[in-house]
């Protein structure tokens, strides 16, 4: 097989059908009158050619890239915060998305570069995560791009997930008292 990526047109040609018919079959459309033989031919052609859908091309048609950016200061390389990334990955996977993880080291110039990089890739949303809860400056992002702040707040982007430190402190004291600790 050549090094050229197999296209939908290649699959259709090998299966002896139109690109529209091949597309409907590969996309799992059930509201067609295409025969089982047509389905079998398209699936066999796709397998023989090593066909993979072009997610970038689909994104141009649907305006969805099925990708989410996770931009952090130092969360990505901090062993204590791996749960934040695991949670984002699990939720994204359940929704059929992939996550692009970028780390800025808290450098404002690198933050701007990271935002530009993910906007250039037309991500469907951005998660900003910080190691310690704080107000975070975020460079301009188009209002059409959903933004969630994780362990942070921002006046322009109101969606935030913050720890309940007061409840955590209360629970820690309760556990110490339950275990007989009374003196400071």
């Amino acid at each position: 097989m050549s090094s050229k990526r197999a296209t939908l047109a290649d699959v259709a040609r090998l299966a002896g059908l139109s690109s529209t018919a091949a597309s409907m079959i590969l996309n799992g459309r059930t509201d067609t009158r295409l025969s089982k033989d047509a389905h079998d031919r398209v699936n066999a052609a796709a397998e023989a050619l090593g066909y993979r859908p072009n997610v970038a091309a689909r994104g141009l048609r649907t305006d969805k890239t099925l990708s989410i950016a996770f931009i952090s200061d130092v969360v990505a390389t901090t062993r204590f915060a791996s749960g934040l990334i695991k949670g984002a990955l699990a939720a994204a996977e359940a929704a059929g998305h992939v996550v692009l993880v970028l780390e800025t080291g808290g450098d404002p110039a690198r933050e701007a570069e990271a935002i530009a990089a993910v906007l250039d890739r037309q991500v469907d949303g951005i998660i900003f995560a910080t190691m310690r809860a704080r107000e975070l400056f975020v460079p301009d992002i188009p209002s059409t791009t959903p933004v969630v702040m994780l362990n942070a707040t921002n006046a322009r982007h109101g969606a935030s997930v913050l720890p309940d430190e007061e409840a955590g402190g209360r629970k820690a004291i309760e556990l110490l008292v339950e275990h007989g600790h009374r003196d400071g």
Side-chain angles (χ1 to χ4, degrees):
M1 186 165 58
S2 78
S3 62
K4 178 184 160 265
R5 182 181 177 126
T7 66
L8 179 62
D10 297 331
V11 172
R13 191 175 313 108
L14 184 59
L17 294 169
S18 70
S19 291
T20 301
S23 174
M24 288 190 291
I25 290 169
L26 291 171
N27 286 312
R29 292 263 309 264
T30 57
D31 60 341
T32 70
R33 295 183 182 167
L34 298 166
S35 68
K36 180 179 178 339
D37 177 60
H39 281 258
D40 292 344
R41 290 193 333 252
V42 167
N43 290 325
E47 186 174 335
L49 295 171
Y51 173 77
R52 303 264 315 144
N54 186 329
V55 178
R58 182 183 298 154
L60 292 173
R61 286 190 316 276
T62 64
D63 202 27
K64 296 285 180 198
T65 61
L66 301 178
S67 59
I68 297 170
F70 186 102
I71 301 174
S72 73
D73 49 9
V74 293
V75 171
T77 57
T78 304
R79 65 185 170 131
F80 300 113
S82 65
L84 296 176
I85 296 172
K86 283 183 181 179
L89 289 170
E93 182 179 335
H97 285 65
V98 296
V99 178
L100 307 173
V101 179
L102 297 92
E103 186 165 281
T104 67
D107 177 7
R110 179 63 192 117
E111 288 170 1
E113 291 169 5
I115 291 167
V118 300
L119 290 176
D120 288 348
R121 285 160 180 80
Q122 299 178 356
V123 296
D124 296 334
I126 301 174
I127 299 168
F128 286 99
T130 61
M131 191 57 204
R132 62 177 176 78
R134 63 185 169 103
E135 172 122 17
L136 184 64
F137 169 77
V138 177
D140 287 337
I141 295 175
S143 61
T144 55
T145 303
V147 173
V148 174
M149 310 304 284
L150 186 54
N151 207 27
T153 60
N154 180 277
R156 286 182 295 154
H157 305 287
S160 294
V161 178
L162 295 166
D164 188 344
E165 293 171 353
E166 184 177 327
R170 188 178 308 110
K171 185 67 177 172
I173 295 298
E174 289 170 1
L175 286 170
L176 287 171
V177 170
E178 282 177 25
H179 288 88
H181 298 280
R182 304 264 187 257
D183 296 329

